[in-house]
Amino acid sequence: MKILVTGATGYIGKRLIPILLQKGHNVICAVRNVSRWIKYDMPEGNITPVEIDFLDSPENYPEIEADAAYYLIHSMSSSLNEFREMEERTARNFKQFAVKGRVRQVIYLSGIANENELSEHLQSRKNTEDILKSDKYSLTVLRAGIIVGSGSASFEIIRDLVEKLPFMITPKWLNTKIQPIAIRDVLKYLVMTIENPEFKNRTLDIGGPDIMTYKEMLMGFAEVRQLKRMIITLPVMTPRLSSYWLYFVTSVSYKLAVNLVKSMKIEVVCRDNTAAELSGFEHISYKDSVKLAFTKIENHEVPSSWKDSLVSSSANPSFMNRVSVPRHGCFKDIQSIRIIDREKTIQNIFSIGGDNGWYYLNFLWSIRGFLDKLLGGVGLRRGRTDTEHISSGDALDFWRVLYADKQAGRLLLYAEMKLPGEAWLEFRIEGEGKRQYLVQEATFRPKGLSGRMYWYSMLPFHFFVFSGMAAAIASEKN
């Protein structure tokens, strides 16, 4: 079959595509920028990227036909007030595109919505379901709650809380009941719905075997990790305080924290067991899903992370188009150091960030990350998904990878921290033979007077940090 996957570079999309390819399907991957598309070590098969931004007018879309389509687009952290409008627009545009492309079945991964009073996030998901309905194709809606797996937003938030806080004073919404589901089970459901008459034109809640509270999820995680934790819930924490608490302790952006808190006050439990009965497979328990996630993490086999999708960013997604570093109207710091061992230097470049740090004066980077959090930025807590590999589009602390070519020895980063302007950081190897150099180039394009004042105020720190970092990267000792 020819299958279209939207949200192809997102958390679910990156994991679903290899499975579809293994089953022999022809996969069309809808991405915002086709020039940035990377196959993420996917198995061989018929896979075609196409450039489509469903926020744009449908007149700009390429003409494509497909038998089935997965709708995996969500805008939950894009805005505090406008994500519902964005989701409506993308859904309407996708529907028009699907009808024109003669799609027979659309599969939408939504959220469980069983309450009469829904959060704006869950109401938006439900609204999207209504928009996607059509008499031109069959619609399958799979409603999931908390998805647990290596790299999932829920898993990483729980991990941040449990591993960093031995004692927690928490909001009362930690007593809300939920029904988590393992990412492996979600993928099974998504795949088995294709051309399956039992799933066509149905809305089904999918969940794991455990119904528990958020508090029980945290304590269960602690038990798996053999950590002793104490949690006290208080009824006095307002939604705003709860959002700040989640934002400062975990790696989520403030916008995402606000929308999560609004949703966490509502029970997310399957209405019935119909989906489980139709599936016919044994579902993974919550604790087992945590164990499986850490197996992936310890083996450096995390195929996707929510942090690498643009929902973890505080910036406008259009920054991903800024591959060409500007040359005019910018301040620059350029370091050039002769290198002895090209391969070692490249290894150092592509190991930067996360637990490895930035090689020089890491405490200053930590302070900068903390200040960024105070200003509403992403801070350093996102780290990096893989300690060995970097791909275009990945998050790297408070940077985003724009370009990564390990063979050529070039890495280009774009700053997602809060700045009065824009910043790029580039590492590249120049020269040949015995005369090769590491060139490290920091570029800052200021925005108004505040941007210029920022650059000049940071010059003393840049002098030590950038020169020391370049020397450390070029060193054979790291």
Side-chain angles (χ1 to χ4, degrees):
M1 290 180 61
K2 184 180 289 187
I3 300 175
L4 172 72
V5 179
T6 65
T9 58
Y11 178 73
I12 299 293
K14 282 185 184 179
R15 299 186 181 223
L16 176 64
I17 292 168
I19 299 174
L20 297 176
L21 291 175
Q22 288 171 351
K23 291 186 174 293
H25 296 295
N26 296 337
V27 181
I28 303 169
C29 302
V31 293
R32 278 197 179 105
N33 191 327
V34 73
S35 66
R36 319 203 65 76
W37 170 254
I38 294 179
K39 294 186 179 179
Y40 298 102
D41 298 321
M42 292 179 182
E44 293 184 2
N46 293 315
I47 180 169
T48 306
V50 294
E51 187 169 283
I52 304 175
D53 185 344
F54 286 103
L55 285 172
D56 287 343
S57 173
E59 288 79 16
N60 299 326
Y61 303 162
E63 293 187 7
I64 295 169
E65 291 189 3
D67 301 305
Y70 286 96
Y71 189 76
L72 305 174
I73 301 173
H74 302 299
S75 305
M76 185 167 142
S77 65
S78 301
S79 169
L80 289 178
N81 303 311
E82 299 176 0
F83 74 85
R84 182 172 179 177
E85 179 186 339
M86 294 172 67
E87 291 200 334
E88 286 183 1
R89 193 191 321 163
T90 55
R92 293 186 191 283
N93 289 344
F94 168 82
K95 179 178 180 178
Q96 185 174 334
F97 177 76
V99 170
K100 187 176 180 181
R102 300 179 183 178
V103 172
R104 297 197 302 266
Q105 181 185 18
V106 171
I107 302 163
Y108 172 45
L109 182 61
S110 184
I112 294 177
N114 300 329
E115 296 284 343
N116 292 326
E117 294 185 11
L118 298 173
S119 67
E120 189 173 0
H121 155 55
L122 290 176
Q123 183 61 56
S124 180
R125 295 283 175 89
K126 192 171 185 299
N127 187 44
T128 299
E129 296 175 13
D130 295 334
I131 292 173
L132 291 177
K133 291 177 182 177
S134 172
D135 58 1
K136 302 296 184 181
Y137 55 73
S138 66
L139 176 65
T140 301
V141 178
L142 298 176
R143 291 177 168 178
I146 298 294
I147 297 176
V148 183
S150 59
S152 75
S154 304
F155 176 85
E156 294 298 337
I157 290 170
I158 293 170
R159 184 183 180 186
D160 281 341
L161 292 172
V162 174
E163 294 189 349
K164 294 174 182 176
L165 301 176
F167 175 76
M168 288 180 249
I169 299 177
T170 63
K172 62 181 180 180
W173 48 254
L174 253 72
N175 293 321
T176 303
K177 288 185 178 180
I178 48 170
Q179 191 169 353
I181 182 171
I183 179 62
R184 298 190 185 198
D185 289 344
V186 173
L187 294 172
K188 286 181 181 179
Y189 274 114
L190 287 171
V191 173
M192 72 169 46
T193 56
I194 301 175
E195 291 296 306
N196 189 330
E198 293 184 310
F199 285 89
K200 287 185 176 181
N201 290 315
R202 300 190 70 167
T203 298
L204 299 166
D205 292 350
I206 59 174
D210 304 306
I211 298 176
M212 56 208 311
T213 64
Y214 286 105
K215 182 177 179 179
E216 289 171 338
M217 282 185 70
L218 292 172
M219 296 305 290
F221 187 100
E223 183 180 332
V224 171
R225 299 299 289 163
Q226 298 181 339
L227 298 170
K228 291 185 178 180
R229 294 294 182 260
M230 180 178 292
I231 301 175
I232 297 176
T233 57
L234 294 179
V236 295
M237 290 188 78
T238 65
R240 181 180 292 274
L241 284 175
S242 297
S243 300
Y244 281 128
W245 175 74
L246 203 61
Y247 167 65
F248 279 109
V249 176
T250 71
S251 56
V252 300
S253 67
Y254 179 68
K255 290 182 289 188
L256 182 55
V258 170
N259 289 322
L260 283 174
V261 166
K262 290 178 180 177
S263 298
M264 286 174 171
K265 296 182 292 183
I266 299 170
E267 281 195 4
V268 181
V269 177
C270 295
R271 292 164 296 180
D272 54 47
N273 206 39
T274 302
E277 292 171 355
L278 289 175
S279 70
F281 63 80
E282 185 176 350
H283 292 60
I284 301 170
S285 70
Y286 169 68
K287 289 183 180 178
D288 284 341
S289 66
V290 173
K291 292 175 183 176
L292 289 169
F294 273 101
T295 299
K296 288 286 188 182
I297 293 168
E298 290 162 1
N299 292 332
H300 304 292
E301 296 176 346
V302 180
S304 66
S305 171
W306 79 277
K307 298 174 184 178
D308 293 333
S309 65
L310 294 182
V311 299
S312 73
S313 172
S314 298
N316 188 311
S318 64
F319 74 81
M320 287 300 292
N321 298 321
R322 301 170 195 182
V323 162
S324 298
V325 180
R327 298 297 173 188
H328 303 289
C330 299
F331 296 109
K332 289 183 179 289
D333 181 284
I334 301 176
Q335 306 287 330
S336 181
I337 299 178
R338 188 172 178 178
I339 59 175
I340 304 300
D341 188 335
R342 174 187 171 90
E343 296 304 317
K344 178 61 178 174
T345 301
I346 291 176
Q347 183 61 41
N348 290 340
I349 292 172
F350 280 77
S351 299
I352 203 167
D355 293 337
N356 291 329
W358 293 81
Y359 298 123
Y360 189 71
L361 297 178
N362 278 321
F363 75 94
L364 288 180
W365 287 95
S366 298
I367 292 173
R368 183 63 181 87
F370 176 72
L371 292 175
D372 192 53
K373 271 283 188 180
L374 290 178
L375 294 171
V378 295
L380 289 177
R381 287 204 178 102
R382 291 186 307 183
R384 53 183 289 167
T385 300
D386 193 305
T387 58
E388 298 177 0
H389 303 286
I390 299 178
S391 298
S392 173
D394 287 358
L396 185 59
D397 290 334
F398 45 36
W399 301 88
R400 180 73 59 170
V401 180
L402 292 184
Y403 186 86
D405 187 334
K406 193 169 186 179
Q407 185 175 356
R410 183 180 179 228
L411 178 66
L412 176 61
L413 310 177
Y414 180 82
E416 293 188 304
M417 65 193 85
K418 292 291 185 178
L419 289 170
E422 296 178 285
W424 292 258
L425 181 59
E426 182 177 11
F427 305 92
R428 61 182 183 270
I429 304 297
E430 294 185 352
E432 298 180 356
K434 295 182 179 180
R435 299 189 67 84
Q436 296 191 62
Y437 295 85
L438 164 68
V439 177
Q440 174 188 287
E441 183 174 329
T443 302
F444 180 69
R445 180 161 61 186
K447 185 177 181 180
L449 179 61
S450 61
R452 287 166 172 77
M453 292 176 63
Y454 170 82
W455 176 263
Y456 287 120
S457 67
M458 295 297 292
L459 274 180
F461 301 102
H462 289 168
F463 177 79
F464 291 106
V465 171
F466 288 144
S467 61
M469 181 170 65
I473 292 174
S475 172
E476 298 178 77
K477 295 180 181 179
N478 284 314

